[in-house]
């Protein structure tokens, strides 16, 4: 079948059955794979179809093609699978703006500006994902519906994790250890 939608924050979604029997509900606990279990729109999957009470369809034992375990965890894979890449091009650009959880990157190749969501920023660990205006980044560019461009797998220069590539030298805020108030 083909994934119609999947809300990772809620842990469920819908799959269109290839046999024409309708759409099947899918829960994250029924996805066979390591790490954070999620699905992407238009992703092709295989599953066992069961009928629930009331006749509703549910997909269980959801795998990739050929029964392979799904590995959609961005933290483990460091990015999307190849279903929507634009020539797999690695690009660089300069951050124009970043506010709250999204921003814009000006592509160095002159192709325009690309939208970036905080979830696409690669860092080591579970720290805060953020970009700074003027920061130079490396990323892959995908085309979304309507031809809009989006930056995915966003890293610092030379593919470095952005928590290592941020401004300020990594010392953090404040005066540091051993200095209290009023001193």
């Amino acid at each position: 079948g083909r994934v119609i939608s999947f809300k990772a924050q809620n842990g469920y979604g819908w799959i269109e059955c290839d046999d024409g029997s309708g759409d099947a509900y899918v829960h994250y606990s029924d996805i066979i794979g390591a790490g954070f279990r999620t699905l992407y729109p238009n992703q092709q999957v295989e599953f066992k179809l069961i009928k629930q009470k009331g006749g509703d369809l549910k997909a269980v034992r959801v795998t990739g093609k050929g029964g392979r375990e799904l590995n959609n965890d961005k933290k483990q894979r460091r990015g999307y699978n190849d279903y929507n890449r634009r020539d797999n091009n690695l690009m660089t650009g300069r951050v124009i703006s970043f506010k709250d959880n999204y921003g814009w990157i000006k592509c160095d190749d002159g192709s325009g500006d690309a939208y970036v969501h905080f979830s696409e920023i690669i860092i080591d660990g579970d720290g805060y994902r953020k970009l700074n205006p003027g920061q130079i980044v490396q990323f892959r560019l995908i085309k979304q519906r309507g031809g809009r461009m989006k930056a995915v797998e966003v890293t610092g220069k030379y593919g470095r994790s952005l928590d290592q590539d941020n401004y300020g030298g990594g010392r953090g805020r404040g005066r540091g250890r051993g200095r209290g108030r009023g001193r």
Side-chain angles (χ1 to χ4, degrees):
R2 180 185 66 85
V3 177
I4 298 170
S5 68
F6 193 85
K7 294 184 179 186
Q9 65 271 24
N10 297 333
Y12 70 90
W14 296 93
I15 299 173
E16 178 181 45
C17 299
D18 285 342
D19 65 5
S21 59
D23 298 339
Y25 168 81
V26 60
H27 190 262
Y28 81 94
S29 62
D30 294 309
I31 299 170
I32 307 296
F36 185 75
R37 292 176 282 184
T38 189
L39 298 171
Y40 296 113
N42 298 317
Q43 184 175 19
Q44 292 292 319
V45 293
E46 293 181 0
F47 52 91
K48 180 178 179 188
L49 195 60
I50 62 171
K51 280 197 177 189
Q52 296 179 302
K53 291 180 183 175
D56 295 330
L57 299 175
K58 182 177 181 184
V60 297
R61 288 190 248 147
V62 180
T63 65
K65 288 289 190 179
R68 293 184 324 239
E69 281 192 12
L70 291 170
N71 188 8
N72 289 342
D73 189 341
K74 289 182 186 178
K75 285 185 179 179
Q76 289 184 0
R77 290 185 313 106
R78 290 214 183 261
Y80 281 19
N81 55 1
D82 291 336
Y83 74 89
N84 195 19
R85 295 211 196 260
R86 182 178 135 182
D87 301 332
N88 247 353
N89 284 340
L90 199 56
M91 303 188 70
T92 57
R94 186 175 298 273
V95 177
I96 299 169
S97 67
F98 195 86
K99 188 168 184 163
D100 298 326
N101 60 0
Y102 70 94
W104 296 93
I105 299 171
K106 182 173 185 67
C107 300
D108 285 344
D109 70 353
S111 60
D113 300 340
Y115 166 80
V116 61
H117 188 263
F118 82 98
S119 63
E120 298 297 343
I121 300 169
I122 296 175
I123 61 171
D124 289 332
D126 293 326
Y128 187 68
R129 291 176 159 87
K130 177 184 175 184
L131 297 174
N132 298 306
Q135 188 174 18
I136 297 172
V137 292
Q138 184 172 295
F139 55 93
R140 296 194 188 279
L141 194 64
I142 64 171
K143 276 197 175 179
Q144 296 179 302
R145 283 184 225 133
R148 295 177 306 225
M149 295 187 298
K150 181 178 180 183
V152 298
E153 297 180 25
V154 180
T155 64
K157 293 181 275 185
Y158 314 112
R160 292 178 16 179
S161 171
L162 277 165
D163 55 352
Q164 298 170 5
D165 204 32
N166 278 333
Y167 299 108
R171 291 189 158 201
R173 292 186 186 177
R175 295 181 175 169
R177 191 174 209 142
R179 296 189 69 183
R181 285 191 172 159
R183 291 189 186 178

